[in-house]
Amino acid sequence: MALLVIIVLYVCVGILAATGSIFISQKLFSAKAEQIFFALFFVAIAAFYLAFTAYFGDQRAWRLETGAVIVFALFGIFGLRLPVVLITGYLLHGIWDVLHEVHAFGGASPFGAHELTELPLAYGAFCAAFDWCVAGYFYTRRRDWNAAWKARARW
């Protein structure tokens, strides 16, 4: 029961973090700059799993986690110009977060024992909530982002 309460709390914090990030990005950035920001931010958040791998000393997780970071970094790079790629990347990253949460605290691993790195309690729930909220927001912004790339620069 206590784990469920903690998970719900972290999901709420993830939603609040996404809401704040969206609000601030709308105030600070043009449509094009907003897309660039969230694409580059995606590369950074994907790399967090390597930090956890190092911190928890999960030697068997390095290969899988490094491969996942490379894949998600590619989603971020291609998402610089293609909103659908960025949306897909954040949705898939949310699934990746849930897999880690289930592995860490549910005792199940889709890739075998100790191939996923450990996480701090409820980090996967927080991150999945954030990822899925911002992906939903990106879906609503995709036309504006595409139009921003097509607009000619005015001098």
Side-chain angles (χ1 to χ4, degrees), residues 28-136:
L28 293 178
F29 302 124
S30 67
K32 186 189 292 187
E34 182 183 45
Q35 182 180 357
I36 292 168
F37 169 76
F38 279 112
L40 295 176
F41 184 65
F42 187 59
V43 174
I45 64 173
F48 265 77
Y49 283 98
L50 294 180
F52 294 139
T53 303
Y55 178 79
F56 290 111
D58 250 338
Q59 296 305 315
R60 290 183 275 178
W62 278 106
R63 181 179 295 167
L64 182 62
E65 296 295 350
T66 301
V69 168
I70 291 168
V71 168
F72 288 124
L74 290 172
F75 273 98
I77 291 166
F78 287 109
L80 283 166
R81 286 295 304 266
L82 303 168
V84 69
V85 174
L86 195 58
I87 293 166
T88 303
Y90 272 90
L91 290 172
L92 291 173
H93 192 261
I95 293 169
W96 186 246
D97 297 322
V98 170
L99 288 174
H100 278 82
E101 195 71 42
V102 169
H103 166 71
F105 304 105
S109 178
F111 302 105
H114 303 293
E115 288 193 26
L116 292 175
T117 194
E118 298 297 319
L119 296 178
L121 181 63
Y123 176 81
F126 159 79
C127 201
F130 180 91
D131 290 345
W132 292 336
C133 284
V134 295

